């Protein structure tokens, strides 16, 4: 199953006999809450999902966006109308990070058919509405473990034995700046792979062949396993999505740098990429 869907494909499927459940996950770190933009206009039938309140747990030692309680996540999905046997499409404002987090959460908890709208709402040319829908409750019951998840020890091991990609901006990887977390640098052995390089000027993911070439150049073709982290496990989900489109399975380190650097006993590397 493809991990992404185009706006034209979504329009066609939404008009069909088995329309997907739509989740609007607009989120901007440090920006206004996405709910206001959702209420101003969203794809017809879409239900708003709050990334910080519903796709993440409270910040703490596990990072700025740790995984939420699984049962609470399942209740949110059921209220949004998500069922096990009905396809789901998630979108955000166009950056792709928040939508990918919802995609990954549903994949990790066992939903078999979930896709991200490529390019987000910005790519949508159909109608929008301000009416907030009240969908019938779904029956989705999350069962974690359907796709791989890394903890801090697993990320450290993968950096030594496989390929651990750092999806943050290159200057954050090198430790030159750190605008969010208390420590600058990266996990020793990780390779810089900014998530912004996965998309073209139109905000859509690069073609699968170009993504495959990018990740091959970073060492994915020869690695026994691939993992990804970022600052708090959100933008890294977009890189996992891009890897999926490229045909490369990858694990997410959900705690990411914000969890890693919270423990002062963990090593920190700075400087250029080891490649």
């Amino acid at each position: 199953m493809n991990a992404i869907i185009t706006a034209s494909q979504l329009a066609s499927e939404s008009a069909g006999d088995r329309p997907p459940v739509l989740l609007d996950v607009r989120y901007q770190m440090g920006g206004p809450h996405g709910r206001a933009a959702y209420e101003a206009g969203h794809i017809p039938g879409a239900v708003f999902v709050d990334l910080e309140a519903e796709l993440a747990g409270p910040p703490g030692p596990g990072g700025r966006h740790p995984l939420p309680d699984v049962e609470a996540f399942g209740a949110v999905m059921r209220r949004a109308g998500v069922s096990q046997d009905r396809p789901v499409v998630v979108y955000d404002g166009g950056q792709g990070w928040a939508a990918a987090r919802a995609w990954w959460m549903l994949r990790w908890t066992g939903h078999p058919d979930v896709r991200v709208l490529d390019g987000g709402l910005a790519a949508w040319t159909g109608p929008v509405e301000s009416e907030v829908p009240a969908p019938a409750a779904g029956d989705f019951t999350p069962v974690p473990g359907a796709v791989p998840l890394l903890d801090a020890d697993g990320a450290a091991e993968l950096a030594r034995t496989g390929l651990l990609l750092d999806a943050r901006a290159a200057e954050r990887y090198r430790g030159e700046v750190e605008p969010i977390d208390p420590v600058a640098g990266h996990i020793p052995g990780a390779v810089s792979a900014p998530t912004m390089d996965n998309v073209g000027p139109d905000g859509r993911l690069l073609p699968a062949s170009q993504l495959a070439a990018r990740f091959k150049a970073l060492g994915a073709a020869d690695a026994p396993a691939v993992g990804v982290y970022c600052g708090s496990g959100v933008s890294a989900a977009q890189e996992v999505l891009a890897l999926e489109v490229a045909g490369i399975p990858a694990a997410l380190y959900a705690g990411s740098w914000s969890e890693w650097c919270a423990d002062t006993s963990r090593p920190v590397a700075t400087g250029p990429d080891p490649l």
Side-chain angles (χ1 to χ4, degrees), residues 165-266:
L165 299 175
D166 185 319
R168 299 173 299 163
E171 60 269 22
R172 290 182 70 192
Y173 168 89
R174 293 190 297 265
E176 297 168 358
V177 298
E178 182 44 65
I180 306 170
D181 293 307
V183 179
H186 60 266
I187 297 174
V191 173
S192 180
T195 192
M196 67 185 71
D197 293 340
N198 295 325
V199 299
D202 60 359
R204 302 178 190 180
L205 284 174
L206 297 174
S209 60
Q210 292 185 35
L211 290 171
R214 181 198 183 204
F215 293 123
K216 180 180 180 181
L218 291 168
D222 301 320
V226 178
V228 188
Y229 76 96
C230 59
S232 66
V234 176
S235 66
Q238 190 260 25
E239 190 127 293
V240 173
L241 174 71
L243 283 154
E244 177 91 358
V245 171
I248 303 168
L252 176 70
Y253 174 24
S256 284
W257 183 248
S258 58
E259 178 189 42
W260 181 273
C261 72
D263 184 342
T264 57
S265 70
R266 295 191 182 110

Side-chain angles (χ1 to χ4, degrees), residues 5-20 22 43-44 89 91 115 117-118 120 123-127:
I5 184 172
T6 66
S8 59
Q9 289 170 333
L10 176 57
S12 177
E13 291 189 17
S14 295
D17 296 333
R18 191 168 175 257
L22 297 176
I43 297 175
V89 171
Y91 70 89
R115 290 163 292 172
L117 174 59
D118 196 17
W124 177 253
T125 58

Side-chain angles (χ1 to χ4, degrees), residues 35-96:
R35 179 82 194 194
Y38 165 80
E39 291 179 350
H42 50 266
I43 297 175
V47 175
F48 181 73
V49 176
D50 188 326
L51 185 146
E52 291 197 319
E54 298 174 325
L55 299 181
R64 286 184 280 111
H65 291 114
L67 296 182
D69 175 81
V70 171
E71 292 305 315
F73 170 73
V76 168
M77 292 297 101
R78 289 190 293 274
R79 286 198 302 270
V82 175
S83 291
Q84 188 74 18
D85 63 351
R86 186 176 172 190
V88 178
V89 171
V90 294
Y91 70 89
D92 55 26
Q95 191 175 40

